[in-house]
Amino acid sequence: MVFTCEPDFEAMLTCIYDAWEWAIKNGHDNVQLKLEPVLQNSLFESYRHVERDSEKAEKVARSIRRKISIQAYHCVYYACLFFDDVLDIIYRYLRIGFKVGARVDQMLTEPSVMRMMEARRKVGNEIHYFREFLRFHSLSDKIYISHFEPKCNVAYQVAVHFADRMPSEHFMIIDDNRQFAVVHPADGEMYIQNLTKEQLESLMKSEEYQDEFTELWKLFFHTISIKERENYQCQRNMMPLWMRKHVTEFRDNK
């Protein structure tokens, strides 16, 4: 049996709950979990779509925190943000975790545990990188807009960092790949807004806006550079090329 769900944290935990409940009667080795859309169905498998259920999701989250560890819960949460489909890996990881408890994260010879550690590291690195590399454009001095294209689904986690530092500012952080925005009203609560193709195209025009601060930032970036110490290989290691698409100092530079 293959259980499928949308790539949403609560939906993924609900999928784990339903798959586990089915596996108690039919065996854990006979179950598989996949994120939707499933690009190619197998002729020899049965598929069951799972809808999000907050109550079931909370039960799974509570069990992970109590029976394994809070670190394991963080690991599962980060893995749910990973750019690859690791839902089945999470399920295998939890099977081990519910048997051995907090020791699960030390069992790096287990493929599922190693894969979870890799996912957590990559998601954590992207959050850290984009806290540094995100650039905002001011529109009429009223709202700040930032675009980026992360591999992992880290927009909200990055936005939390800026909400803590700019609580009284209106800003939007837009994930162009996934077509949604994290909206932060001044002194308000953040929320996620899905965008239509037309809305996204309209908001992308914000990057075309140039003012004196844009040019000053580019001038500062080039002025502090020391020609004798230029090392483009090191720069690419610290700031990969795929992260630079929306970074002000690398845009329209000749």
Side-chain angles (χ1 to χ4, degrees):
M1 176 66 72
V2 180
F3 289 81
T4 68
C5 67
E6 296 178 355
D8 170 86
F9 181 61
E10 280 196 348
M12 293 169 78
L13 293 187
T14 306
C15 191
I16 291 171
Y17 182 97
D18 284 0
W20 198 285
E21 189 175 51
W22 184 89
I24 290 174
K25 299 178 181 179
N26 300 279
H28 288 286
D29 294 332
N30 298 321
V31 67
Q32 189 176 2
L33 288 75
K34 290 185 178 181
L35 291 180
E36 298 171 354
V38 178
L39 299 180
Q40 185 173 2
N41 290 358
S42 171
L43 295 175
F44 307 103
E45 299 285 356
S46 298
Y47 290 80
R48 181 182 298 178
H49 170 73
V50 176
E51 291 288 347
R52 180 190 301 108
D53 186 310
S54 298
E55 185 176 343
K56 290 181 179 180
E58 177 54 32
K59 286 181 180 179
V60 175
R62 186 168 59 245
S63 294
I64 296 172
R65 291 192 294 264
R66 290 180 179 178
K67 297 180 180 180
I68 307 179
S69 67
I70 188 65
Q71 289 77 17
Y73 174 75
H74 291 159
C75 195
V76 170
Y77 177 73
Y78 271 48
C80 288
L81 305 176
F82 196 50
F83 55 85
D84 285 340
D85 184 354
V86 293
L87 183 55
D88 196 66
I89 299 295
I90 295 172
Y91 185 84
R92 308 302 162 190
Y93 169 83
L94 292 177
R95 281 187 63 191
I96 300 172
F98 286 132
K99 288 181 181 178
V100 303
R103 292 190 295 111
V104 62
D105 291 336
Q106 302 172 16
M107 302 175 65
L108 299 181
T109 56
E110 292 286 346
S112 59
V113 177
M114 191 64 185
R115 182 66 169 156
M116 289 289 286
M117 295 300 107
E118 177 189 2
R120 179 171 183 172
R121 177 178 59 82
K122 288 189 176 181
V123 172
N125 284 347
E126 276 203 29
I127 294 172
H128 173 71
Y129 278 137
F130 283 113
R131 285 172 179 170
E132 304 291 336
F133 301 157
L134 215 63
R135 300 291 184 261
F136 287 91
H137 298 269
S138 174
L139 296 184
S140 304
D141 297 325
K142 293 181 179 180
I143 184 171
Y144 295 93
I145 297 179
S146 178
H147 293 264
F148 75 146
E149 298 180 26
K151 292 181 179 179
C152 302
N153 187 10
V154 297
Y156 191 86
Q157 288 67 34
V158 174
V160 169
H161 170 82
F162 291 99
D164 183 55
R165 284 151 181 79
M166 304 189 300
S168 299
E169 300 289 349
H170 297 283
F171 70 79
M172 296 175 61
I173 296 179
I174 301 171
D175 186 330
D176 290 0
N177 284 334
R178 297 171 180 82
Q179 294 191 359
F180 74 85
V182 181
V183 182
H184 178 271
D187 298 314
E189 294 293 328
M190 288 195 305
Y191 61 92
I192 294 176
Q193 176 67 53
N194 291 321
L195 303 173
T196 64
K197 183 179 179 180
E198 292 73 21
Q199 288 173 326
L200 181 61
E201 290 176 353
S202 177
L203 288 167
M204 287 181 70
K205 294 179 181 178
S206 64
E207 292 189 311
E208 300 173 5
Y209 179 74
Q210 301 283 323
D211 60 16
E212 63 273 20
F213 292 103
T214 303
E215 296 306 317
L216 281 172
W217 178 249
K218 291 182 178 181
L219 179 63
F220 169 77
F221 177 75
H222 291 289
T223 301
I224 64 172
S225 173
I226 301 174
K227 185 175 180 57
E228 290 74 17
R229 295 187 178 181
E230 288 180 352
N231 186 334
Y232 293 111
Q233 181 62 48
C234 180
Q235 187 185 61
R236 285 194 293 270
N237 288 337
M238 301 299 292
M239 191 177 194
L241 296 176
W242 68 270
M243 292 186 173
R244 303 182 187 184
K245 181 176 179 180
H246 302 280
V247 177
T248 304
E249 55 267 36
F250 289 102
R251 286 176 56 84
D252 301 324
N253 287 333
K254 298 180 180 180

